[in-house]
Amino acid sequence: MQISRWIISAAAAAMLAIGAGSASAAEKIKIGTEGAYPPFNTITPDGKVEGFDIDIANALCAQMKVECEIVTQDWDGIIPALQAKKFDAIIASMSITEERKKQVAFTHKYYTTPLALVALKDSDIASTEPAALAGKTVGAQLRPRRRTMPRTPTPRPAPKPSSIPLRRRRSPISRTAASTPSSRTSSCLSTG
């Protein structure tokens, strides 16, 4: 349960950093999320938004004794929508980058998911070294979060971007993983 307390503490700090003055005075806090990144945030067939990020948002609102209104927003417009005050905070599994830090305030991460390379059990891929991936096509979700090759435990120079074909997908990574057995993709780059 220590991790749960840490998650709540980090997320609470995020809410306070973004809307400290309005949190105590407001009866409702609007939380922006994508709604298209399962299991973190997704829209159910009946239109309800759910997932890990939504659970975090609801726990924070309950802690602050305010109503939580979840607002879905296309990923590419989520920061501009926050800046336009469409919602008070973003809880959407957003990676902290230097570019984003110039636009919005972040708190500590509330979880970390390392990159993983997933391949069929009988695949000949034995490592994430560029030589092991030569001639292969790696599938990855098209989202500005992770556009780098997986890191090995020891520091090594990054492979040239053109040395390993990367097939970007707009669908969630779980659907990319499901397509791994195809002749178009040898493996799948995943965040956990």
Side-chain angles (χ1 to χ4, degrees), residues 109-131:
K109 296 178 185 180
Y110 57 93
Y111 74 90
T112 299
T113 306
L115 289 175
L117 189 70
V118 180
L120 293 173
K121 192 174 187 175
D122 60 352
S123 170
D124 64 347
I125 298 173
S127 80
T128 59
E129 293 293 322

Side-chain angles (χ1 to χ4, degrees), residues 1-189:
M1 288 320 218
Q2 183 179 10
I3 193 161
S4 296
R5 278 188 236 124
W6 188 86
I7 288 172
I8 296 298
S9 296
M15 294 293 287
L16 292 173
I18 293 170
S22 62
S24 60
E27 293 182 19
K28 182 190 291 188
I29 301 238
K30 291 182 180 181
I31 305 294
T33 196
E34 183 184 19
Y37 194 57
F40 298 97
N41 57 71
T42 188
I43 300 173
T44 64
D46 63 350
K48 182 182 173 191
V49 185
E50 65 180 21
F52 180 71
D53 293 330
I54 309 313
D55 293 344
I56 292 286
N58 288 326
L60 288 168
C61 289
Q63 185 79 20
M64 294 185 297
K65 297 178 176 43
V66 296
E67 181 184 342
C68 222
E69 180 182 341
I70 305 298
V71 179
T72 57
Q73 172 67 48
D74 180 63
W75 183 255
D76 292 337
I78 204 161
I79 290 176
L82 175 68
Q83 293 169 329
K85 301 189 186 323
K86 184 175 178 182
F87 33 79
D88 302 304
I90 297 171
I91 300 182
S93 298
M94 182 180 287
S95 295
I96 301 170
T97 66
E98 291 304 315
E99 183 179 330
R100 289 179 182 151
K101 283 177 168 181
K102 294 174 186 174
Q103 300 177 59
V104 295
F106 283 94
T107 183
H108 300 289
K109 296 178 185 180
Y110 57 93
Y111 74 90
T112 299
T113 306
L115 289 175
L117 189 70
V118 180
L120 293 173
K121 192 174 187 175
D122 60 352
S123 170
D124 64 347
I125 298 173
S127 80
T128 59
E129 293 293 322
L133 298 173
K136 310 290 187 209
T137 300
V138 178
Q141 178 183 358
L142 178 60
R143 185 170 178 181
R145 298 182 54 194
R146 308 275 179 125
R147 288 196 180 166
T148 58
M149 293 303 299
R151 293 185 187 174
T152 55
T154 55
R156 297 193 195 321
K160 294 178 185 173
S162 62
S163 66
I164 302 167
L166 182 62
R167 182 172 180 75
R168 291 186 173 97
R169 304 289 296 250
R170 290 200 179 274
S171 61
I173 202 72
S174 58
R175 283 188 234 146
T176 304
S179 71
T180 299
S182 75
S183 61
R184 296 168 49 174
T185 310
S186 305
S187 60
C188 172
L189 184 62

